[in-house]
Amino acid sequence: MQIDLNGTPVVTRATTLAALITEQGFDAASVATALDGQFVPRQARAATSLHPGARIEVLAPMQGG
Amino acid sequence: MFYGIDLPGRLMLGTAQYPSPAILRDAIAASGAGVITVSLRREGQGGGAFRQILRDSGCRILPNTAGCHTAREAITTAHMARELFGTDWIKLEVIGHADTLQPDPFALVEAARVLCAEGFRVFPYTTEDLIVGERLLEAGCRVLMPWGAPIGSGQGLRHVEALRTMRAHFPEVPLVIDAGIGAPSQAMAAMEMGFDAVLLNTAVARALDPVEMARAFGQAVSAGRLAYRAGLMPRRDMAVASTPVFGQAVLA
């Protein structure tokens, strides 16, 4: 299915958020995730299903003021 | 004391816009900052080195919600930051205007109420407005962070008298001047007025020599705090001779 990952259209075979994180090569312990604007805690990723058009944000620590 | 924590240094330093990771690391060390601010952004490359600098700094981490324009965005960002950085401290920014980066006080109070109820220790980036400050305290905030001037402008304390009034109005509340500081003298002035800390980023990161400027800011903040505690003399309109008149020779 096609989803939106960090603002980019992505075709994925993953059906859960946890599988998507692995498939896309993210370091699962070093990122925080949101689905359709809602935070998804790390331990809830495996039980969080994706749907076509899902908007996923995968965020990491960055410089900030 | 910020949420029960006594910080070793009263400078809070941003980590953005430095020429290199090594300069960032050295600037943090030279500043003596007790807190460094960080953000959350879409995962790219090179994040590992930054994470190592955060760990090595020994500073308390204050994640921000920079770039959020609604309460909902800021709340979601805070949730993500809490998991990622393992802290319930959050620098709450809800921007109301893209040009001035002025806080949206209505959305700020709304987001603060939700986050405080969820156990976050909220550091709200606000204006010097007293009523907004009171609403933030009612929402559960135990620190207020009025702006000195628009973010990144380097204008210093634009509304000195209003800030002085704010200091007097909230005598027991830790107040941090956040944003707009351009020179160590401005940071020192804020500390002399009795503010509890100063948060800045651009003035250090964009200096010709960020490490030396970080050191200068650290010393200015310490000196300003010392001066406040020592008690400044009252200002007078007229001269008052400091050398005793008694015993002066008559030579005329």
Side-chain angles (χ1 to χ4, degrees), chain B residues 13 24 39 60 78 80 87 95 98 114 120 128 139 145 154 190 203 210 214 238 245 248:
Chain B
L13 190 62
L24 166 62
S39 71
R60 188 166 274 269
M80 297 174 86
T87 177
I95 300 301
V114 171
F120 281 90
E128 64 276 0
M145 300 213 297
M238 300 296 288
V245 177
Q248 182 166 1

Side-chain angles (χ1 to χ4, degrees), chain B:
Chain B
M1 296 279 271
F2 301 90
Y3 291 103
I5 302 294
D6 213 357
L7 296 173
R10 288 173 179 268
L11 177 60
M12 301 183 176
L13 190 62
T15 56
Q17 307 182 69
Y18 290 80
S20 74
I23 291 175
L24 166 62
R25 185 193 59 216
D26 293 349
I28 294 170
S31 72
V35 167
I36 51 176
T37 58
V38 297
S39 71
L40 286 180
R41 289 292 180 261
R42 288 168 169 172
E43 171 68 316
Q45 298 301 313
F50 181 60
R51 286 191 282 272
Q52 190 62 43
I53 289 174
L54 298 186
R55 277 192 294 271
D56 293 347
S57 74
C59 293
R60 188 166 274 269
I61 305 293
L62 179 59
N64 68 27
T65 62
C68 292
H69 285 254
T70 65
R72 182 164 179 260
E73 284 175 283
I75 291 165
T76 298
T77 303
H79 288 154
M80 297 174 86
R82 178 159 66 177
E83 179 181 84
L84 205 47
F85 294 105
T87 177
D88 51 15
W89 281 25
I90 189 76
K91 177 185 168 186
L92 184 60
E93 293 181 40
V94 188
I95 300 301
H97 194 275
D99 288 337
T100 60
L101 299 181
Q102 178 164 350
D104 175 341
F106 306 97
L108 180 68
V109 172
E110 183 187 340
R113 187 168 290 125
V114 171
L115 291 172
C116 289
E118 293 178 354
F120 281 90
R121 314 291 181 143
V122 176
F123 292 68
Y125 164 63
T126 182
T127 65
E128 64 276 0
D129 189 287
L130 301 181
I131 310 307
V132 174
E134 287 178 352
R135 293 289 184 275
L136 288 166
L137 296 178
E138 285 167 18
C141 297
R142 293 295 170 262
V143 174
L144 298 175
M145 300 213 297
W147 63 346
I151 295 172
S153 70
Q155 295 175 12
L157 308 179
R158 252 199 345 187
H159 304 133
V160 174
E161 296 308 325
L163 289 168
R164 210 183 293 282
T165 302
M166 187 181 195
R167 178 67 285 180
H169 191 75
F170 299 108
E172 305 299 330
V173 180
L175 299 180
V176 182
I177 296 291
D178 176 15
I181 297 289
S185 55
Q186 298 160 355
M188 190 164 165
M191 297 304 293
E192 286 175 0
M193 286 164 63
F195 284 90
D196 296 277
V198 171
L199 198 167
L200 57 95
N201 188 154
T202 310
V204 167
R206 294 294 188 182
L208 279 179
D209 185 337
V211 179
E212 288 300 278
M213 189 60 82
R215 199 184 318 280
F217 268 105
Q219 292 179 5
V221 166
S222 296
R225 178 66 185 174
L226 267 178
Y228 170 70
R229 288 173 58 102
L232 293 157
M233 65 164 279
R235 185 189 158 104
R236 297 182 181 122
D237 289 337
M238 300 296 288
V240 179
S242 47
T243 303
V245 177
F246 178 78
Q248 182 166 1
V250 179
L251 300 174

